[in-house]
Amino acid sequence: MSADGTALGDALRHHGDAEVRGAGSGLTDLAVNVRTGTPPAWLRERLAASLTTLAAYPDSTPARSAVAERHGLPEDQVLLTAGAAEAFVLLARALSARRPVVVHPQFTEPEAALRDAGHRVERVLLRPRNGFRLETDSVPPEADLVVVGNPTNPTSVLHPAAALAGLARAGRTLVVDEAFVDAVPDERESLVPLLGQLPGRTVVLRSLTKTWGLAGLRVGYVLSDPETVRALAHQQPLWPVSAPALVAAQACSRPEALAEAQQAARQFAADRGYLRDRLAPLRAAGLREATPTPEGPFLLVEHPHAATLRERLRELGFAVRRGDTFPGLGQKWLRMAVRDRATTDRFMEALHKALETLDVTGEN
């Protein structure tokens, strides 16, 4: 592979966890968008109990049934995966596409998976001038595979379901990554209620990683039509999802778990509002939000010297996510996870100090 190709691949494979590995392991983590204090005790207990079943091969039937019931869908429209990331690989391998398009900035694994499978990927770049809102007419009509996130990582934009539905058409596969939609109260703008009603093929991806703190367990699922589910399943190895992960999928689909997720989503919204209020006075220091209406459990912000600011924050004990590895962004962008108010207060103290340092050195 060429040097340029290697550099592109490295950027697409960079994720927030890199900020808190190695020397960054002791930093307060605002780089990874996993809810703190998770998994909850009741889920840890169920996972621990599942260890007594490890001698048996995993049976996905109960978990698949639970996920289907949770969404009001038949079981043949559900495919359990080893995280949403595996689903991107399955889609890239199983579906033929003459002109695949990825709407950026967004999670980079879909493009990486498509490129690894030999596809030539076209990018549609949303623009900061309109808050990274989706402009459906910017997607080429000839695109037969379109991938978009909702709410979008890293911009925190929640696109209207009607706008996403406008991308669906005969002969096209529309893939919507809803890994963060359970962090939105009432899962507003989810495309799941429209499955089966739109032209072409619609695929919705979900993850249990963020709300339930299961990044290390690897569990997610695909919702689509039965034919697509079968095609994706054909690309999986035998027993692709572990027994503990299946227990988690079943447990997190129960009504009481959904009620807890709803409460967590409301708390995210409140804590995000608090963080935004604390950030607002810093506009005079060159800090501005990417969108006026963020809906994800994270914020994307711009600063002229964001790369230096990120390093200063690390020196002060905080890790935030660099933005320049997301297509369509650059070194002026940072992403920060929404945390509780006490953590936000400590972070704001560090942010003020970091910005003052930039002023002193003449970098701001």
Side-chain angles (χ1 to χ4, degrees):
M1 181 180 291
S2 68
D4 289 344
T6 301
L8 173 61
D10 289 346
L12 293 176
R13 296 295 188 189
H14 180 91
H15 301 296
D17 60 315
E19 309 281 355
V20 288
R21 293 186 183 276
S25 61
L27 300 175
T28 298
D29 180 9
L30 275 69
V32 177
N33 297 317
V34 173
R35 182 165 66 108
T36 56
T38 52
W42 62 265
L43 183 52
R44 292 198 305 270
E45 291 171 2
R46 294 198 180 202
L47 293 175
S50 74
L51 299 181
T52 63
T53 70
L54 294 186
Y57 287 98
D59 178 9
S60 65
T61 304
R64 190 179 188 187
S65 176
V67 171
E69 182 177 357
R70 175 250 200 274
H71 289 290
L73 295 171
E75 290 183 30
D76 61 0
Q77 289 191 247
V78 176
L79 179 68
L80 296 162
T81 60
E86 185 205 6
F88 292 124
V89 173
L90 299 177
L91 287 163
R93 293 176 178 176
L95 304 182
S96 59
R98 298 181 305 278
R99 191 173 180 182
V101 167
V102 178
V103 179
H104 284 292
Q106 76 152 327
F107 184 51
T108 52
E109 279 301 313
E111 179 171 333
L114 286 165
R115 290 184 180 277
D116 287 348
H119 295 278
R120 295 175 61 89
V121 180
E122 185 174 342
R123 295 174 175 176
V124 168
L125 300 180
L126 305 183
R127 302 298 180 182
R129 64 174 179 267
N130 67 344
F132 296 102
R133 305 297 302 183
L134 178 65
E135 298 174 345
T136 54
D137 58 0
S138 65
V139 177
E142 300 80 12
D144 55 355
L145 173 64
V146 178
V147 185
V148 62
N150 204 41
T152 302
N153 171 20
T155 63
S156 206
V157 171
L158 183 67
H159 303 295
L164 296 174
L167 292 175
R169 62 186 60 195
R172 171 182 288 175
T173 298
L174 173 62
V175 179
V176 183
D177 175 11
E178 293 188 352
F180 288 101
V181 82
D182 60 348
V184 176
D186 302 317
E187 298 191 354
R188 299 191 329 275
E189 310 303 343
S190 171
L191 218 59
V192 173
L194 296 181
L195 283 175
Q197 302 177 31
L198 300 176
R201 175 193 283 128
T202 305
V203 181
V204 175
L205 276 55
R206 290 292 188 96
S207 171
L208 302 182
T209 294
K210 320 304 180 185
T211 291
W212 300 112
L214 298 175
L217 195 61
R218 310 310 308 140
V219 55
Y221 53 90
V222 175
L223 305 174
S224 191
D225 62 273
E227 181 181 357
T228 299
V229 167
R230 286 192 296 270
L232 299 180
H234 186 69
Q235 296 294 324
Q236 288 182 308
L238 291 172
W239 312 291
V241 182
S242 70
L246 293 172
V247 166
Q250 185 175 2
C252 293
S253 297
R254 295 174 61 86
E256 54 268 34
L258 299 181
E260 181 176 329
Q262 171 76 340
Q263 180 56 41
R266 290 175 177 152
Q267 189 62 54
F268 271 133
D271 290 341
R272 182 181 59 242
Y274 182 76
L275 173 59
R276 296 185 69 206
D277 287 344
R278 296 296 309 273
L279 288 172
L282 296 179
R283 291 172 188 152
L287 203 71
R288 75 172 188 90
E289 292 185 50
T291 175
T293 56
E295 295 284 355
F298 46 86
L299 294 179
L300 181 68
V301 298
E302 183 183 29
H303 189 274
H305 302 287
T308 303
L309 186 60
R310 183 175 69 90
E311 291 303 319
R312 300 288 166 80
L313 286 169
R314 292 181 71 84
E315 294 168 4
L316 294 166
F318 288 86
V320 294
R321 171 66 157 90
R322 60 191 285 191
D324 61 320
T325 62
F326 290 101
L329 300 183
Q331 293 194 359
K332 297 190 299 182
W333 295 94
L334 296 172
R335 190 193 70 195
M336 56 189 68
V338 171
R339 299 292 188 232
D340 62 90
R341 296 187 179 196
T343 302
T344 292
D345 287 342
R346 291 193 298 108
F347 171 66
M348 292 306 301
E349 289 181 14
L351 183 56
H352 277 276
K353 290 179 181 178
L355 288 168
E356 289 169 2
T357 304
L358 291 181
D359 285 338
V360 167
T361 59
E363 293 187 67
N364 188 15

